[in-house]
Amino acid sequence: MAQSYGEEINTRMGERRAARNARDEQQGMVIVKAQQDLQKLVQRMYECLHNKVYDEGDKSMLKTLRPIIDLRSLALKVKQKGAAHVLALDGEQFTKDSKQLATNIVDVPDSGIRIQFREFIRRLERHVAQLNEEELCSIKLIKVSLEPERKLYVDIEMVMHVICVAAASMSVESVIESMVSIYENRNNKLRPISEERAVLEMNIACNGPELTHADSIIQESMTEYWKNSGKRKTGDWHFVRKSQNIRDFAVSKVVDRMSSAKPNLPFMT
């Protein structure tokens, strides 16, 4: 009897072990199959991108663009080897790539471009001297160079122009066109605004939510405005009506008029 009971326990343990092994084996097969499918997908994407998307001209353009907009790598070289060393190695190539990328400076003498590039490298060296390697970012370095307050772009306009052209060329063209349309809708001959105002409105338009989903931000902005406005500075909204010749509407003058109009047919009342 005891022997039968022990055999039964061993049998149950063996069944559980076998079931667990089968489950682990099945999971392992699923993982292997997923890895194989991912490898096939990556290989297919590589072949499509290599053979069907980028031609030789595109590859040549990308090869030209990357060194120009990769300011992080340039800053690292400047920190490690110094401005003079980087200028001696990269100055001529930058001049060549600049004229290939920005056709409006083709007639500019090479010496003029190299002079501005030398000044750009010196300013870059001074700016990144106190930054750690983790703090270096190409996008941030471009933004810093274009900030109106710092005016780091003064006297190196051609270099900054080339970098901006390269940055726009690496982005999706439709995105750039959309941002230009947003800018033109806000700053035009019918509504000329200052550069500071244009930057502020573009920042809100490109980074903020759609107007239909902006209630919470508008409420916070109004509260913040009233905190710094008026004598009380409590954050309570207080509007002053200076004229009593103002009529209230449920919706608007036109909509209220149309809503109050009686229908011509009696059965529509």
Side-chain angles (χ1 to χ4, degrees), residues 16-269:
R16 294 194 191 99
R17 188 181 302 110
R20 186 169 59 252
N21 293 338
R23 186 171 59 253
D24 293 343
E25 183 179 356
Q26 185 177 10
Q27 291 178 350
M29 292 175 62
V30 171
I31 293 174
V32 172
K33 183 66 167 58
Q35 291 176 341
Q36 292 175 349
D37 292 344
L38 286 173
Q39 290 176 353
K40 291 180 181 178
L41 176 62
V42 172
Q43 182 64 27
R44 182 178 178 184
M45 291 178 62
Y46 170 78
E47 292 175 354
C48 291
L49 291 172
H50 187 269
N51 299 325
K52 298 180 181 180
V53 177
Y54 296 116
D55 55 21
E56 293 301 324
D58 296 330
K59 295 175 186 177
S60 176
M61 179 59 69
L62 290 173
K63 187 177 180 180
T64 301
L65 292 174
R66 283 171 179 164
I68 293 178
I69 60 176
D70 189 8
L71 296 189
R72 183 179 187 277
S73 297
L74 183 63
L76 287 174
K77 287 196 295 184
V78 170
K79 286 177 69 70
Q80 295 169 0
K81 301 178 180 179
H85 183 83
V86 173
L87 180 63
L89 291 179
D90 298 347
E92 184 176 353
Q93 187 63 42
F94 179 86
T95 302
K96 179 181 177 182
D97 293 341
S98 298
K99 291 193 172 184
Q100 180 180 349
L101 183 61
T103 55
N104 57 341
I105 63 171
V106 172
D107 296 331
V108 177
D110 292 353
S111 58
I113 299 176
R114 276 201 285 274
I115 290 173
Q116 291 200 8
F117 183 68
R118 179 172 65 245
E119 182 60 27
F120 169 73
I121 293 296
R122 290 175 177 172
R123 295 180 185 181
L124 182 65
E125 183 180 35
R126 289 194 296 268
H127 176 70
V128 303
Q130 304 300 325
L131 299 179
N132 299 324
E133 181 175 342
E134 295 76 14
E135 297 175 316
L136 297 177
C137 172
S138 297
I139 296 178
K140 291 182 179 179
L141 291 174
I142 294 175
K143 288 182 177 180
V144 167
S145 301
L146 295 174
E147 286 181 358
E149 297 81 8
R150 296 175 182 262
K151 297 187 182 299
L152 296 178
Y153 51 81
V154 176
D155 296 332
I156 57 169
E157 288 84 357
M158 284 190 293
V159 174
M160 296 311 305
H161 169 66
V162 171
I163 292 175
C164 291
V165 170
S169 300
M170 287 290 287
S171 302
V172 179
E173 185 176 358
S174 59
V175 175
I176 302 297
E177 291 179 352
S178 176
M179 294 181 68
V180 171
S181 297
I182 293 173
Y183 181 84
E184 290 178 345
N185 287 335
R186 284 161 171 76
N187 189 11
N188 51 61
K189 62 181 181 180
L190 299 178
R191 183 179 178 264
I193 57 179
S194 65
E195 182 180 355
E196 182 179 359
R197 178 72 183 185
V199 172
L200 176 62
E201 292 194 11
M202 284 295 294
N203 188 28
I204 296 174
C206 296
N207 301 318
E210 295 293 336
L211 189 59
T212 53
H213 303 290
D215 289 353
S216 60
I217 292 181
I218 293 175
Q219 290 175 359
E220 291 182 12
S221 300
M222 292 295 293
T223 301
E224 189 68 23
Y225 169 78
W226 290 116
K227 283 182 180 179
N228 302 307
S229 178
K231 296 181 180 180
R232 292 182 293 176
K233 301 185 185 302
T234 60
D236 298 330
W237 298 14
H238 50 282
F239 297 91
V240 178
R241 175 177 291 183
K242 296 183 178 180
S243 173
Q244 298 301 322
N245 189 22
I246 300 176
R247 181 179 175 185
D248 294 327
F249 299 102
V251 180
S252 68
K253 181 178 180 180
V254 176
V255 174
D256 288 3
R257 186 185 73 243
M258 295 177 66
S259 299
S260 61
K262 296 182 178 180
N264 297 326
L265 302 176
F267 64 85
M268 297 184 64
T269 57

